[in-house]
Amino acid sequence: MHPPYPSTSVSRRRFLGQVTAAGALALAPRWALAAGTDQPRKKLGVVLVGLGSYAGDRLAPALQNTQHCRLVGVVTGNPEKGRKWAAKYGFPEQSIYGYGTMDRMATNPDIDVVYVVTPNSLHAQHCIAAAKAGKHVITEKPMATSVEDCDAMIAACKAAGVRLMVGYRLHYEPHTAEMCRIARDRDFGPFMKITGENGFAIWPEARPQTVWRLDKKLAGGGPLMDMGVYVVQAVCMTKAEASPVAVTAQFDPVTMPDVFTEVEQSLHWTMEFADGAVAHCRASYVNQWSSLRADAAGGWVELPYPAFYYDEPLLNTSRGPVERPLVNHQEAQLDGMALEIAGKLPSLAPGEMGRRDIAITTAIYAAARSGGRVAVQA
Ligand code: NDP
């Protein structure tokens, strides 16, 4: 796995916060500039796959404001929706693809990156189709619904010589990034006691088109796959990206059996690390949770509610609150990933990291089903 935090990462993340907030292209590092000029490199052309709520409400608007990316096409099962998007965002109708015609993207030189935003179990096939078309891939979280699918995605991107990144936007969010730095530099010593939780009330607020989240075949699982993966991510951040060695877990009682027929309603789990650190975590589709706290011998850090939502998170520490630039998460992520591609830098959120998290969630489900302690093969 690439080192997730290259030595330049702290100053680079500060830089990202500034450019996305102020649009200060003049601050662009050399690798963001076209060779031998002071002109910004051509914006990377991005295609969105699956025009649902996250693509439509967050990613497409963000792409209108990014410094280093632009929306150049879509993949959709609904051609009429595709034509509306083409008119709204100003790309040619020839750049509307179907899920079965993604191979045609190979001949479109405007497309650099394909961003997969479909239901979880479809990420693998859409990622592999994009890689075969020779395009870099960003896939939404969770990366896939099995470790085997993650391996196939990584192999396809490697064979095609393209990047594979996971849409872990919080790596590009400056407060979260500072928490990572504190963990990596051990400002307070190693974090040994960690708690994290994430959830939202999926019902009855769920819109009909998002009911796939309750369908095990499409979602791969319930709140662990959707919201808990943020907690798994954040806990690993507090351990400087170490993987847990073992997990235990329990499903919580189901109070809405008519709704949660296939996936869990809520669950809680522990993650044990080689140095003796333990994280106590929970995820839910009925509770509005979103926070993290990590304690070390010399101090603590806390991402209070709404730690993992789109709102700007706070970072409190035993030294006092930390102030960092305010950024739009999706703009910062898209620009950050574009600069990683352009600068040939290691990604902060590579496919290998997404695979690690699916290995952990797989172990958590196995522990919840068996009631035992399960070793993590990350
Ligand atoms: P939506 O249901 O709103 O959109 C999914 C889209 O996928 C649909 O609109 C449809 O687009 C396409 N699709 C293709 N096949 C199917 C199918 N069989 N069933 C349903 N939709 C299908 O989901 P979200 O946008 O909320 O989530 C999409 C992905 O993004 C998920 O993996 C989710 O975890 C992730 N996500 C990440 C967030 C983050 O903060 N990083 C936040 C929210 C979601 P079309 O009609 O164009 O074919």
Side-chain angles (χ1 to χ4, degrees):
M1 167 170 168
H2 293 299
Y5 298 109
S7 58
T8 56
S9 62
V10 173
S11 58
R12 185 161 62 106
R13 278 193 292 270
R14 284 198 186 115
F15 160 78
L16 282 172
Q18 289 159 8
V19 288
T20 51
L25 261 180
L27 294 175
R30 296 303 306 170
W31 36 263
L33 305 175
T37 78
D38 289 332
Q39 296 304 307
R41 191 183 286 266
K42 172 179 95 68
K43 287 186 173 191
L44 293 188
V46 176
V47 159
L48 292 175
V49 185
L51 309 182
S53 52
Y54 194 57
D57 297 346
R58 298 285 167 176
L59 295 173
L63 282 163
Q64 307 312 301
N65 295 324
T66 46
Q67 301 297 312
H68 303 295
C69 314
R70 64 195 179 105
L71 181 60
V72 296
V74 293
V75 179
T76 177
N78 181 338
E80 181 53 34
K81 191 166 28 169
R83 283 191 285 276
K84 282 187 186 153
W85 276 58
K88 181 171 179 183
Y89 293 112
F91 56 81
E93 291 195 4
Q94 295 94 299
S95 299
I96 303 168
Y97 302 89
Y99 297 109
T101 58
M102 288 177 68
D103 58 330
R104 286 205 293 111
M105 293 192 296
T107 57
N108 187 339
D110 285 345
I111 303 172
D112 300 294
V113 182
V114 173
Y115 195 147
V116 177
V117 206
T118 47
N120 307 341
S121 70
L122 306 179
H123 294 176
Q125 68 191 67
H126 298 147
C127 162
I128 291 166
K132 283 186 175 161
K135 309 300 180 184
H136 300 293
V137 184
I138 306 172
T139 186
E140 255 314 319
K141 49 56 57 178
M143 176 170 165
T145 52
S146 70
V147 172
E148 292 73 22
D149 276 359
C150 294
D151 285 338
M153 295 159 84
I154 291 168
C157 289
K158 197 171 169 196
V162 297
R163 290 280 181 128
L164 173 56
M165 297 166 282
V166 183
Y168 286 141
R169 56 188 161 75
L170 288 168
H171 283 272
Y172 302 85
E173 191 290 308
H175 299 81
T176 314
E178 173 60 6
M179 185 190 75
C180 292
R181 188 208 58 75
I182 290 170
R184 194 179 61 247
D185 292 349
R186 297 194 168 199
D187 285 14
F188 303 126
F191 290 114
M192 300 304 290
K193 188 180 155 212
I194 305 147
T195 54
E197 59 183 15
N198 200 25
F200 77 105
I202 199 172
W203 202 266
E205 289 82 358
R207 290 179 287 173
Q209 70 270 28
T210 67
V211 168
W212 64 262
R213 283 184 164 79
L214 302 172
D215 176 337
K216 191 165 182 195
K217 194 158 174 287
L218 283 170
L224 176 61
M225 294 303 277
D226 194 13
M227 309 302 281
V229 78
Y230 281 103
V231 181
V232 166
Q233 265 276 299
V235 169
C236 292
M237 285 175 176
T238 67
K239 297 305 293 174
E241 299 304 337
S243 293
V245 291
V247 296
T248 63
Q250 277 184 300
F251 295 122
D252 295 334
V254 177
T255 58
M256 301 170 76
D258 294 347
V259 175
F260 297 100
T261 56
E262 296 191 19
V263 302
E264 76 277 6
Q265 176 178 310
S266 303
L267 80 170
H268 57 278
W269 72 94
T270 65
M271 296 163 66
E272 302 169 21
F273 289 83
D275 64 359
V278 179
H280 293 269
C281 312
R282 54 185 185 168
S284 173
Y285 266 162
V286 290
N287 294 99
Q288 207 77 13
W289 293 330
S290 194
S291 65
L292 181 90
R293 166 143 178 154
D295 286 80
W300 52 265
V301 294
E302 178 192 40
L303 292 170
Y305 184 91
F308 310 118
Y309 293 176
Y310 307 133
D311 308 295
E312 190 57 35
L314 302 170
L315 175 60
N316 296 326
T317 76
S318 46
R319 286 192 298 235
V322 173
E323 296 209 356
R324 284 292 178 275
L326 303 181
V327 301
N328 172 288
H329 293 196
Q330 290 77 19
E331 290 171 27
Q333 176 210 324
L334 283 157
D335 269 339
M337 289 181 169
L339 291 179
E340 287 167 359
I341 292 169
K344 299 192 174 10
L345 290 170
S347 176
L348 292 179
E352 288 79 359
M353 180 183 277
R355 181 198 186 279
R356 175 201 68 189
D357 297 343
I358 297 307
I360 296 169
T361 57
T362 302
I364 292 170
Y365 278 129
R369 279 193 300 270
S370 69
R373 180 174 177 272
V374 172
V376 176
Q377 313 289 339

